[in-house]
Amino acid sequence: MATAVASPPTSAPPRTSEEERVRAARRRDRINAVAWRLAGYAFFLGLWEFASGRLMDERLLPGPVDVLRTFGELWASGKVPGAFADTLTRIGIGFAIAFVVGAAIGILMQNRLLNGFFRDAVTIGVTTPGLIWALITAIIFGNRPWGPLIAIVLTTFALISVNVAEGIKALPKDLIDMAKSFGVGVVRRNRQIVIPHLAPYIFTGVRFGFSIAWKVTVLTEVFSSSSGIGFEMRTASQLFRLPEFLTWILAFYVFALLLEKVVLEVIERRFFAWRDTIKS
Amino acid sequence: MAEITVRNLHKEFGVGADKIVALDDVNLDISGHVFVSIVGASGCGKSTLLNILSGIETPSHGQVQITEDGRPAAKGYVFQAARLLPWRTVMDNLLFVQKDRSEQTRARCQRYLDMVQLGDKGRKYPGELSGGMQQRVGIARAFSTEPDVLFMDEPFSHLDAITARSLRAELQNMWQETRKTVIFVTHDVGEAVELSNRILVFAKGGHLADDIDMPLPFPRDVADPEVAVAKANVFRTFEQIGALAVS
């Protein structure tokens, strides 16, 4: 007896050559972009290596190879992770306080009178350079731990306030009315409408706030601290150890890149994937 | 059976010289499986009436009662824009307005998505859908709560004519199938004649100017002479009232 055997469904329709070509072009484009980026690194590092010892005294401008070696030594000695831990703890505590204070002010500013009460303070907070707070707190607090914390709070709270206030002002009333007309309770409304709406505003505030907090912290450590990255930089410069000084700058870059490329991008992909759908 | 009773309904916005009367002494009785259209020029208070009926706004004075067999009726709403949460998938948008997240509820949501022909789009985000599809999701969302009364505020006015036409046919089918009471606001007289068995005409100043019965059988073909005559009649009433409002 003959059995009719259905041919297995092909998993995907055969790709057209057109699609294949587009894909290849995209791949080429990506490779090109990476190549140019690497060429940039090679050029500037090469220039630096060339200048060191030829255009400038090696003691004044140690080359990248020298710096990299020092980086390895400092890392092995535990100095780099230790200094980072100190600095990051300061940023963590200071920024957490700034976030709570900033968000609270942003919420309170919805009230017309309280808006007047806080408005100029927030403007001053946004416009004053971090360097000024770093100097002032260094003079007032010396090397007590309060200095960097207060400098961080003063430089970053206003950024959070402004973003939170903007986000609240732009709350999607049409969606909230929709939810009300369907009898959706206030808790679910807040969780599903208000928080997702505010998330990008808060994220922007945190992102810029954090990058500023980072700079201010290192500055205050340069002026008035006995630990952390800024302190290590000051020590290295006072002892005229330029390879060490540059090592700290290198460590700084590595960390910033890591934060930008890994942490922030993961957050963005995880929570804001829906935004790409609007563009497409 | 759903019963809507409106007594001496009055609504005004603003104070003093800026006062605007949106609804002026409106009295209404609607009951059972009917499709009621509210038509009128813009600014005649038809959306305000819908918002008060659905509970988004409160009346300045007067009473509104909406019941289903004596208990408060469950309400659904379809808006002019789809009003979907852009950060939730289509299915999650439907689940958002449900009382629970049980398997049964999910199955019901899926059934209504199938009904608007978006059964395979549950995992998409609203931003990935066309305007007509988004509005379909809005309609599925309103039906999926299985309301006793469904309020629709010019749901097709933002869509192109062809999409609007196919959605009207779908809505007609869903209304026949689910036997809801539908209150439908539109400024399109043709749409009102095609869909409803009762048309309430509102005039400027927010008063109910006419209440027209539309006994023609469904589905109605716009090319049918009887439908065309009915449409012409409504237009005539409309024009008379329009003239009255100007004087």
Side-chain angles (χ1 to χ4, degrees):
Chain A
M1 202 168 86
T3 34
V5 178
S7 60
T10 44
S11 54
R15 257 188 237 122
T16 59
S17 59
E18 179 70 17
E19 236 176 287
E20 196 61 89
R21 238 179 299 142
V22 170
R23 238 170 252 237
R26 269 207 206 122
R27 199 163 40 232
R28 257 200 316 279
D29 192 54
R30 256 201 311 274
I31 292 169
N32 247 333
V34 171
W36 276 99
R37 207 162 165 186
L38 290 178
Y41 274 103
F43 176 76
F44 289 110
L45 287 175
L47 201 65
W48 178 10
E49 183 66 57
F50 174 79
S52 163
R54 290 181 183 84
L55 303 180
M56 227 184 250
D57 193 313
E58 231 168 326
R59 279 165 301 175
L60 286 174
L61 183 70
V65 178
D66 218 7
V67 171
L68 217 59
R69 190 176 339 106
T70 320
F71 183 86
E73 281 163 17
L74 281 180
W75 182 273
S77 75
K79 241 180 165 183
V80 173
F84 265 86
D86 282 344
T87 302
L88 284 176
T89 309
R90 276 186 198 118
I91 296 175
I93 297 169
F95 195 56
I97 298 171
F99 183 82
V100 172
V101 172
I105 291 176
I107 293 165
L108 291 175
M109 278 175 80
Q110 301 309 306
N111 177 291
R112 193 175 54 85
L113 298 176
L114 286 176
N115 186 17
F117 184 83
F118 285 116
R119 195 169 47 206
D120 292 339
V122 168
T123 309
I124 288 170
V126 171
T127 49
T128 311
L131 175 65
I132 288 176
W133 296 127
L135 272 172
I136 291 174
T137 54
I139 295 165
I140 298 176
F141 295 97
N143 65 357
R144 275 171 293 176
W146 285 108
L149 291 189
I150 288 173
I152 295 168
V153 174
L154 285 173
T155 39
T156 55
F157 85 95
L159 256 172
I160 304 284
S161 297
V162 168
N163 277 289
V164 168
E166 283 299 310
I168 294 175
K169 239 180 256 164
L171 272 179
K173 191 180 174 303
D174 56 339
L175 292 183
I176 293 168
D177 277 348
M178 178 277 291
K180 279 186 193 162
S181 74
F182 278 102
V184 176
V186 68
V187 175
R188 200 192 277 183
R189 282 205 307 265
N190 282 340
R191 277 194 47 196
Q192 306 266 356
I193 299 177
V194 176
I195 292 174
H197 163 80
L198 288 181
Y201 292 92
I202 292 173
F203 185 70
T204 308
V206 168
R207 192 171 183 166
F208 286 109
F210 192 87
S211 73
I212 292 173
W214 172 252
K215 290 170 201 160
V216 171
T217 311
V218 173
L219 264 179
T220 53
E221 286 172 351
V222 167
F223 293 137
S224 63
S225 193
S226 46
S227 66
I229 297 169
F231 165 75
E232 300 292 348
M233 280 177 158
R234 186 182 71 208
T235 315
S237 72
Q238 281 170 350
L239 298 176
F240 213 67
R241 289 183 186 153
L242 275 166
E244 236 174 78
F245 187 82
L246 291 175
T247 292
W248 288 107
I249 294 176
L250 182 68
F252 192 107
Y253 286 154
V254 170
F255 182 78
L257 265 176
L258 198 77
L259 201 71
E260 178 73 19
K261 286 289 148 205
V262 181
V263 181
L264 294 179
E265 275 190 12
V266 165
I267 291 175
E268 230 167 357
R269 221 171 294 149
R270 167 76 181 76
F271 293 102
F272 303 119
W274 62 270
R275 287 167 130 195
D276 295 332
T277 67
I278 287 175
K279 281 173 231 146
S280 65
Chain B
M1 194 172 72
E3 303 246 14
I4 300 175
T5 320
V6 176
R7 290 287 172 269
N8 311 106
L9 180 62
H10 191 85
K11 175 73 181 178
E12 50 195 44
F13 296 103
V15 281
D18 296 330
K19 193 162 80 180
I20 295 164
V21 176
L23 290 170
D24 185 20
D25 196 30
V26 176
N27 289 283
L28 259 182
D29 286 285
I30 296 168
S31 72
H33 168 233
V34 285
F35 196 115
V36 182
S37 284
I38 300 173
V39 295
S42 39
C44 70
K46 51 192 196 305
S47 288
T48 307
L49 176 62
L50 203 69
N51 286 342
I52 290 173
L53 289 177
S54 64
I56 292 176
E57 283 178 48
T58 50
S60 300
H61 39 87
Q63 280 93 46
V64 173
Q65 214 173 33
I66 303 176
T67 58
E68 169 80 10
D69 299 328
R71 60 178 170 80
K75 302 165 193 171
Y77 210 126
V78 179
F79 304 87
Q80 207 164 358
R83 298 203 191 181
L84 305 173
L85 312 184
W87 42 77
R88 292 283 178 269
T89 61
V90 166
M91 183 47 111
D92 284 345
N93 262 284
L94 263 62
L95 288 172
F96 173 63
V97 298
Q98 311 297 328
K99 295 267 176 292
D100 64 272
R101 305 283 159 102
S102 64
E103 272 310 306
Q104 254 176 317
T105 306
R106 278 175 186 278
R108 189 176 67 231
C109 290
Q110 184 60 48
R111 198 167 65 239
Y112 283 102
L113 277 182
D114 289 339
M115 236 187 245
V116 296
Q117 292 158 46
L118 292 174
D120 58 335
K121 298 283 192 278
R123 287 165 175 277
K124 296 269 182 199
Y125 285 97
E128 295 172 281
L129 306 180
S130 68
M133 284 168 154
Q134 291 184 17
Q135 198 59 345
R136 278 199 173 94
V137 176
I139 292 170
R141 176 178 64 193
F143 272 95
S144 69
T145 61
E146 311 223 299
D148 307 309
V149 185
L150 189 59
F151 299 100
M152 306 183 91
D153 187 4
E154 306 198 19
F156 308 135
S157 61
H158 283 356
L159 303 176
D160 63 90
I162 295 165
T163 309
R165 193 174 167 186
S166 77
L167 280 184
R168 274 198 287 273
E170 261 170 42
L171 173 64
Q172 177 72 227
N173 288 338
M174 286 171 88
W175 171 63
Q176 296 283 12
E177 217 168 295
T178 55
R179 309 198 58 83
K180 308 287 175 208
T181 304
V182 177
I183 313 292
F184 187 93
V185 164
T186 179
H187 58 250
D188 180 343
V189 173
E191 186 172 73
V193 170
E194 190 186 332
L195 292 172
S196 32
N197 31 34
R198 189 172 164 194
I199 298 178
L200 305 173
V201 184
F202 272 77
K204 287 229 160 116
H207 56 265
L208 178 55
D210 208 347
D211 189 340
I212 307 167
D213 254 332
M214 297 291 296
L216 298 173
F218 295 108
R220 292 173 186 162
D221 186 351
V222 277
D224 189 321
E226 269 188 293
V227 175
V229 169
K231 187 172 164 183
N233 283 338
V234 177
F235 258 122
R236 200 163 306 129
T237 322
F238 205 74
E239 273 159 17
Q240 279 167 2
I241 290 154
L244 283 173
V246 172
S247 65

